[in-house]
Amino acid sequence: MSTAITNGHGSADLGYHGGQQWQTENFVDDFSVTTNMYGPPTRAMEAAKKALAHIVHYPEREQTIARKGLSRFLFNEENQYNRILLGNGASELIDLLIRRASPGSFKTGPWDVQYKEYERSVAVHGRHHRLNNQSKEPANLICIVNPCNPTGDFKGADELSTWLCENIQDRGTVLVDESMQPWVGPHFREDSLLSRKDFIDTMLRDRGVHVYVIHSWTKIWCCPGLRIGSIVAPNETIANDCQQLQVPWSVNVMASAFLIEAVKDDDYMTRTWNNTEKYRNSQIVRLQEALQDVPESARWKFYGESFNSSIWIDMQDVATADLACELAEKAGTPVRPGKHGYERPSYVRVAVREPTSFDHLMTAWRPLLEKVKSS
């Protein structure tokens, strides 16, 4: 079964994005984005500031130092850097790969809903033959976000490999977005599709399938204003072919300097792994306790793997979700409404933040929680 999709200006609102409400006078913390609660790594931030003095020069076009550093972060070895292409956020690279893919049908991951940038780009480039993501019919282009934003669903590398084999056509293109993968924990490399090089090579050799792994580094290192993304291509030749389609100079000197330092900050990653799951569980428990006397039909449902940097919440009622977003924005703690783009009007996505910040959101939601309990 196939369906048409609307463009970025249609009812699906594919162009909507969180993180747009931080310039208010009463801003406290941004719960509408899935960035790291600790902000940017300090040494990386200082490197970016220092690099501002170099804006009189062109950036290094090949970004060799940055790519080698990222290769060490992703693979624990430097020699994979020739497969890596850096870009002005993941969005630039998503668009590049979708332009490069051969015409035909496309399919998203098997989740209820996922990050909409892929569908926006697909629509812009005229791919209207969308297969139902639960269909067994293979697609020419697969775009899967894993771990999934916003739902928090996740397939390990073996399960994901099997699903891709069954759902991609020969000579097709696979885009696997692993932007949220580093939150999995210290073992994130073992659970990444990048650890299955034999699978990627076999798909290319035996079936002509190009498998790319995409990262938006604005999430784990909390730098969306800087714009850093990457793709890992199946091999160096394909990476070079992709680079021929890329606009030159898309990574500025500040972004490059930031990335070179961020990949070295093991203490930052350890702190993230030690506390994200703990604080996420705490946020869920506090909301559950606040609604413990509510009937089951009105009780909020919380979705996503425990390592995720956000919580996907079904508030079971559209008016409740609307009020949650309104109260949060007024209090300077904006959350992400599920009705925009995702078309899940009873859902809200809430980022994991430090307990003192979450206290502000709980205070903002006090009238909401009382209303839900009294209804």
Side-chain angles (χ1 to χ4, degrees):
M1 184 178 79
S2 64
T3 58
I5 67 171
T6 63
N7 61 29
H9 303 288
S11 59
D13 198 11
L14 298 181
Y16 183 91
H17 203 286
Q20 299 297 301
Q21 300 158 311
W22 55 272
Q23 298 188 60
T24 57
E25 290 184 2
N26 67 332
F27 178 77
V28 176
D29 207 339
D30 198 345
F31 288 83
S32 73
V33 290
T34 56
T35 52
N36 197 314
M37 63 183 164
Y38 289 124
T42 302
R43 292 194 297 273
M45 189 71 158
E46 291 304 314
K49 291 177 182 178
K50 186 176 180 180
L52 187 62
H54 300 310
I55 62 172
V56 297
H57 304 293
Y58 279 96
E60 182 199 356
R61 183 160 181 171
E62 300 301 323
Q63 296 292 333
T64 302
I65 297 173
R67 288 189 295 132
K68 285 184 176 181
L70 186 56
S71 178
R72 287 192 296 271
F73 180 80
L74 289 172
F75 297 98
N76 271 332
E77 59 182 82
E78 194 175 274
N79 62 5
Q80 297 295 321
Y81 80 98
N82 281 326
R83 296 169 57 202
I84 296 174
L85 187 64
L86 300 179
N88 181 31
S91 297
E92 178 202 359
L93 301 171
I94 291 167
D95 187 79
L96 184 154
L97 292 177
I98 288 175
R99 281 191 285 119
R100 190 175 188 275
S102 59
S105 60
F106 86 99
K107 181 187 288 190
T108 60
W111 328 120
D112 176 55
V113 67
Q114 70 174 33
Y115 175 57
K116 292 293 181 176
E117 179 60 26
Y118 293 89
E119 291 163 72
R120 186 206 64 78
S121 185
V122 160
V124 165
H125 294 295
R127 285 178 175 267
H128 299 299
H129 184 204
R130 175 177 178 174
L131 301 177
N132 186 305
N133 66 347
Q134 299 301 319
S135 164
K136 295 186 181 299
E137 181 181 352
N140 176 257
L141 171 65
I142 287 178
C143 306
I144 177 171
V145 181
N146 183 61
C148 181
N149 177 16
T151 67
D153 292 305
F154 177 61
K155 286 183 180 294
D158 291 335
E159 185 183 4
L160 176 60
S161 300
T162 300
W163 186 88
L164 292 174
C165 282
E166 295 171 348
N167 284 274
I168 189 66
Q169 296 176 6
D170 289 349
R171 295 174 296 283
T173 300
V174 172
L175 310 184
V176 180
D177 189 322
E178 291 194 351
S179 298
M180 312 309 292
Q181 179 76 17
W183 267 284
V184 167
H187 58 289
F188 78 93
R189 298 175 184 87
E190 289 75 22
D191 268 335
S192 166
L193 194 65
L194 292 176
S195 69
R196 304 302 193 266
K197 184 65 165 61
D198 288 346
F199 165 77
I200 294 172
D201 290 343
T202 299
M203 290 288 276
L204 180 63
R205 182 187 65 245
D206 295 351
R207 298 183 58 188
V209 173
H210 289 200
V211 178
Y212 300 89
V213 177
I214 300 177
H215 291 89
S216 167
W217 297 110
T218 61
K219 307 295 193 301
I220 188 66
W221 290 315
C222 193
C223 57
L226 201 54
R227 316 301 304 138
I228 311 172
S230 68
I231 58 173
V232 180
N235 58 39
E236 180 181 352
T237 300
I238 294 173
N240 290 337
D241 290 344
C242 290
Q243 189 176 34
Q244 299 306 308
L245 295 176
Q246 187 179 25
V247 176
W249 320 116
S250 63
V251 179
N252 64 54
V253 292
M254 287 82 75
S256 179
F258 181 97
L259 180 60
I260 289 168
E261 287 301 317
V263 297
K264 303 174 187 175
D265 200 333
D266 295 336
D267 291 342
Y268 179 89
M269 294 302 299
T270 299
R271 187 183 181 202
T272 298
W273 294 325
N274 285 346
N275 293 317
T276 300
E277 183 169 347
K278 178 172 64 176
Y279 292 162
R280 185 182 188 275
N281 291 339
S282 174
Q283 289 181 193
I284 292 174
V285 168
R286 290 181 67 180
L287 290 170
Q288 287 174 328
E289 289 177 346
L291 297 172
Q292 61 184 343
D293 297 325
V294 170
E296 182 66 31
S297 60
R299 200 168 295 165
W300 297 357
K301 297 184 183 299
F302 305 90
Y303 295 96
E305 297 286 341
S306 60
F307 61 76
N308 278 286
S309 63
S310 64
I311 310 166
W312 188 230
I313 306 174
D314 183 2
M315 295 185 170
Q316 307 277 47
D317 176 70
V318 175
T320 299
D322 286 344
L323 181 57
C325 295
E326 178 185 340
L327 292 173
E329 183 175 356
K330 286 181 178 178
T333 52
V335 297
R336 172 61 161 92
K339 72 177 181 180
H340 295 308
Y342 297 133
E343 297 185 298
R344 298 296 181 269
S346 68
Y347 284 74
V348 170
R349 189 187 68 199
V350 177
V352 176
R353 294 292 180 253
E354 293 189 85
T356 51
S357 288
F358 191 65
D359 288 343
H360 288 278
L361 181 59
M362 287 293 289
T363 299
W365 275 359
R366 191 174 295 149
L368 171 72
L369 296 168
E370 290 301 323
K371 184 176 182 180
V372 172
K373 286 191 287 187
S374 64
S375 63

